[in-house]
Amino acid sequence: NAGVTQTPKFQVLKTGQSMTLQCAQDMNHNSMYWYRQDPGMGLRLIYYSASEGTTDKGEVPNGYNVSRLNKREFSLRLESAAPSQTSVYFCASSEWSGRGGNQETQYFGPGTRLLVL
Amino acid sequence: EDQVTQSPEALRLQEGESSSLNCSYTVSGLRGLFWYRQDPGKGPEFLFTLYSAGEEKEKERLKATLTKKESFLHITAPKPEDSATYLCAVQASGGFKTIFGAGTRLFVKA
C-alpha cells in the first residue's frame, strides 16, 4: 500500500514550457485534490475531483488544468509555465469518516518541487 | 470569508518544556477541524480531526482541543523528534474546500 504517489519529485522549467504532474492513489478514495504550498501562505487548493469523472476549480485555478483519468489517477497540467507558478505541489486523496460519515480526512503525497525560470 | 490563523509563526522550546500552538478560525458552519504535521521536504501527515466545541483528542505527547473560535495543540514534554511544522485546517459544511493556516514551525532543542 503506497498511499499517494507523485511524479516527478523535482522539475525545472523555462517560462512558457508545459508539463504534467502525475498523481496516483491506491486507497480506493473517491476524492482527490491538487494544492500548492508557498512560504508563509499555507496550502491553497488549485483543483479538486469529488469523484471519478468530475473536476472543479479551487481557490487558485488560473494557469492550470486537470484530468481525472480514472479513480486512481489525477493529473495537473501547466500549459505555459510562469515564474509565479514556482511552488511545491501536493496531491491528496480523501476518505470520509466520523459521525454520520460527513468528516473528510486528506492523505497527502510527498510533493513535486517546481522551479520556473 | 472563511479564514484560519495560526500562532505563533515559530516556537522554540527546550526538550521537556511544554507549550501550546493556537489555531483561530472563522467559518460558516464547521464540518471539521484538522491538525497535520509536516516534516521538511515531505507532505502533511494527518494527526487529528475535531468536530465540535469541547472535544479533545490525544496522541502520545500531543493533545488537541476545540472551542467555537479556536483550537489548541498542546505539546507535553516535547522531544527533538517533535520538531516539525504543525498545520491547522478547517472544512466548512456544504463544500469540498479545506482551508489551511500558514502553520507553526516548532523547534525542540535537546
Side-chain angles (χ1 to χ4, degrees), chain A residues 18-107:
Chain A
S18 62
M19 77 162 295
T20 300
L21 283 65
Q22 306 287 353
C23 173
Q25 53 93 8
D26 62 1
M27 295 175 283
N28 201 36
H29 290 166
N30 287 318
S31 302
M32 297 185 73
Y33 303 78
W34 276 105
Y35 290 91
R36 61 179 288 174
Q37 186 174 38
D38 302 294
M41 299 190 70
L43 287 151
R44 292 183 292 168
L45 183 64
I46 304 171
Y47 271 93
Y48 66 92
S49 172
S51 61
E52 185 179 356
T54 67
T55 60
D56 284 287
K57 294 179 181 180
E59 184 181 357
V60 288
N62 292 344
Y64 305 95
N65 285 301
V66 291
S67 295
R68 182 75 182 266
L69 304 171
N70 47 54
K71 191 171 185 178
R72 290 186 65 250
E73 299 172 288
F74 189 36
S75 63
L76 178 71
R77 182 161 178 85
L78 286 70
E79 293 291 351
S80 178
S84 60
Q85 294 178 304
T86 293
S87 187
V88 181
Y89 291 85
F90 289 101
C91 177
S93 68
S94 67
E95 66 176 8
W96 295 82
S97 61
R99 291 188 290 271
N102 63 348
Q103 271 75 38
E104 181 185 20
T105 301
Q106 296 184 6
Y107 297 88

Side-chain angles (χ1 to χ4, degrees), chain A residues 31 33 35 37 40-43 45 48 50 58-59 90 96-99 102-111 113, chain B residues 30-32 34 36 38 40-46 49-52 55 87 91 95-103:
Chain A
S31 302
Y33 303 78
Y35 290 91
Q37 186 174 38
M41 299 190 70
L43 287 151
L45 183 64
Y48 66 92
E59 184 181 357
F90 289 101
W96 295 82
S97 61
R99 291 188 290 271
N102 63 348
Q103 271 75 38
E104 181 185 20
T105 301
Q106 296 184 6
Y107 297 88
F108 286 81
R113 283 144 190 83
Chain B
L30 180 68
R31 174 183 286 173
F34 303 94
Y36 291 86
Q38 186 174 25
K42 296 188 177 181
E45 175 188 349
F46 171 75
T49 307
L50 300 168
Y51 305 132
S52 57
E55 189 172 3
L87 302 173
Q91 282 182 343
F96 274 83
K97 187 176 179 181
T98 306
I99 303 162
F100 282 82

Side-chain angles (χ1 to χ4, degrees), chain B residues 50-63:
Chain B
L50 300 168
Y51 305 132
S52 57
E55 189 172 3
E56 299 181 351
K57 290 199 174 170
E58 291 187 64
K59 179 181 180 180
E60 296 181 353
R61 295 177 292 281
L62 300 176
K63 179 180 177 180

Side-chain angles (χ1 to χ4, degrees), chain B residues 24-45:
Chain B
S24 298
Y25 65 91
T26 55
V27 65
S28 52
L30 180 68
R31 174 183 286 173
L33 184 141
F34 303 94
W35 282 98
Y36 291 86
R37 168 190 171 129
Q38 186 174 25
D39 293 302
K42 296 188 177 181
E45 175 188 349

